[in-house]
Amino acid sequence: MTALAPAGVEATARITAVPDGLGGTRLPVLESDGPLALRRTRGAGAYARVTVVGAMSAPLGGDRLAIEAGVRDGAALTVDSAAATVALPGRGGRPARYDVRLTAGAGACLRWLPEPLISARGSDLRMTTRVELAACARLVLREEQVLGRYGEETGTLTTRLTVHRAGRPLLDQELAYGPGAPGGWDGAAVLGGNRAAGQLLVVRPEFEHSPPETALLGDNGVLTPLAGPAVLVTAVAADALGLRRVLDRALRTFG
């Protein structure tokens, strides 16, 4: 249910993917809410595909938005978006929240590939992504942040990505940019003058026995194996296009 109040919009969209018994995946739950409109689009192979379409400008200051996606045992799901998400300032200077909660069961495959998140000047967004994976689940997750629209300063953006596999921590990472963020976020040791940052996380059971080695991806990215069957690609770039090139190259290799 969507509530519109002085504090902003509250909305939660939900997706559930289950095997269809014929080698594919069906979606018994595809529930849009508020500015989060979900559309089933053409998938590939066993994967069902859902595209998030923004039904209005969001998130604005004071909004509380969430997406929940559950992939049951043996199902396969790709979630992407039709356009970038733009965090905008709202009335009263209140921060917005955007929470993503993902689960994947035994033998399930989840590809979470949204378009970039753009932090517009004057905005304040707190975003969290929480992932729970079964021991033999597969995950491809991409996150991209663009700090300000063309020619403008960034807003305030805090993101946290937490991933658990078989009930144990796999990754817990927090990033903060913009006014009010800890000092040094725009310095040479972090962004180095770049305006876009992102990461690609790939979890595959076979990495348990043959993990990729640490590698530089040109001048802007690095691939790091994690203490688990996963690799994390981290990259920065001058703009969203340059960032996507680095992450797409890793995605073609591991995703």
Side-chain angles (χ1 to χ4, degrees), residues 13 15 27 30-32 35-43 48-55 67 77-84 98 111-115:
I15 307 166
L27 303 172
L30 190 62
E31 183 179 314
S32 303
L36 302 171
L38 307 178
R39 300 289 183 265
R40 179 159 189 168
T41 47
R42 185 184 297 274
R49 179 183 171 198
V50 174
T51 299
V52 182
V53 180
I67 295 181
L77 175 68
T78 297
V79 181
D80 57 17
S81 58
Y98 193 175
R111 294 164 58 88
W112 184 262
L113 301 170
E115 292 301 301

Side-chain angles (χ1 to χ4, degrees), residues 63-126:
D63 289 353
R64 298 180 66 87
L65 308 180
I67 295 181
E68 299 176 355
V71 187
R72 301 284 175 81
D73 295 358
L77 175 68
T78 297
V79 181
D80 57 17
S81 58
T85 298
V86 183
L88 297 167
R91 296 179 181 178
R94 294 170 57 89
R97 291 196 60 89
Y98 193 175
D99 298 318
V100 176
R101 297 182 284 271
L102 310 173
T103 60
C109 301
L110 173 60
R111 294 164 58 88
W112 184 262
L113 301 170
E115 292 301 301
L117 170 64
I118 301 174
S119 178
R121 181 174 56 194
S123 66
D124 187 350
L125 177 64
R126 321 288 170 83

Side-chain angles (χ1 to χ4, degrees), residues 2-10 63:
T2 302
L4 180 60
V9 172
E10 295 186 14
D63 289 353

Side-chain angles (χ1 to χ4, degrees), residues 189-203:
V190 184
L191 290 177
N194 289 288
R195 302 280 293 176
Q199 54 195 359
L200 179 76
L201 174 65
V202 180
V203 182

Side-chain angles (χ1 to χ4, degrees), residues 170 201-204 207-208 211-212 224-232:
L170 180 66
L201 174 65
V202 180
V203 182
R204 297 172 63 176
F207 288 164
E208 195 94 64
T224 305
L226 301 182
V231 295
L232 179 67

Side-chain angles (χ1 to χ4, degrees), residues 16-246:
T16 300
V18 301
D20 64 4
L22 300 172
T25 298
R26 62 185 182 91
L27 303 172
V29 177
L30 190 62
E31 183 179 314
S32 303
D33 195 8
L36 302 171
L38 307 178
R39 300 289 183 265
R40 179 159 189 168
T41 47
R42 185 184 297 274
Y47 281 84
R49 179 183 171 198
V50 174
T51 299
V52 182
V53 180
M56 63 182 77
S57 295
L60 300 173
D63 289 353
R64 298 180 66 87
L65 308 180
I67 295 181
E68 299 176 355
V71 187
R72 301 284 175 81
D73 295 358
L77 175 68
T78 297
V79 181
D80 57 17
S81 58
T85 298
V86 183
L88 297 167
R91 296 179 181 178
R94 294 170 57 89
R97 291 196 60 89
Y98 193 175
D99 298 318
V100 176
R101 297 182 284 271
L102 310 173
T103 60
C109 301
L110 173 60
R111 294 164 58 88
W112 184 262
L113 301 170
E115 292 301 301
L117 170 64
I118 301 174
S119 178
R121 181 174 56 194
S123 66
D124 187 350
L125 177 64
R126 321 288 170 83
M127 182 171 183
T128 63
T129 301
R130 297 182 178 89
V131 186
E132 296 284 345
L133 302 174
C136 54
R138 294 170 177 264
L139 173 72
V140 176
L141 182 147
R142 182 180 67 209
E143 290 189 336
E144 298 168 304
Q145 297 94 32
V146 179
L147 305 181
R149 294 169 292 192
Y150 182 77
E152 76 173 6
E153 298 175 353
T154 183
T156 298
L157 175 62
T158 302
T159 70
R160 184 173 181 180
L161 171 61
T162 306
V163 182
H164 286 78
R165 174 180 175 269
R168 302 184 65 180
L170 180 66
L171 177 66
D172 192 344
Q173 177 173 283
E174 183 169 324
L175 304 171
Y177 308 103
W185 63 268
D186 57 349
V190 184
L191 290 177
N194 289 288
R195 302 280 293 176
Q199 54 195 359
L200 179 76
L201 174 65
V202 180
V203 182
R204 297 172 63 176
E206 55 265 37
F207 288 164
E208 195 94 64
H209 306 290
S210 56
E213 296 182 355
T214 301
L216 295 176
L217 304 177
D219 296 329
N220 292 43
V222 61
L223 181 150
T224 305
L226 301 182
V231 295
L232 179 67
V233 176
T234 305
V236 297
D239 54 29
L241 182 59
L243 178 65
R244 179 62 62 85
R245 287 195 186 107
V246 178

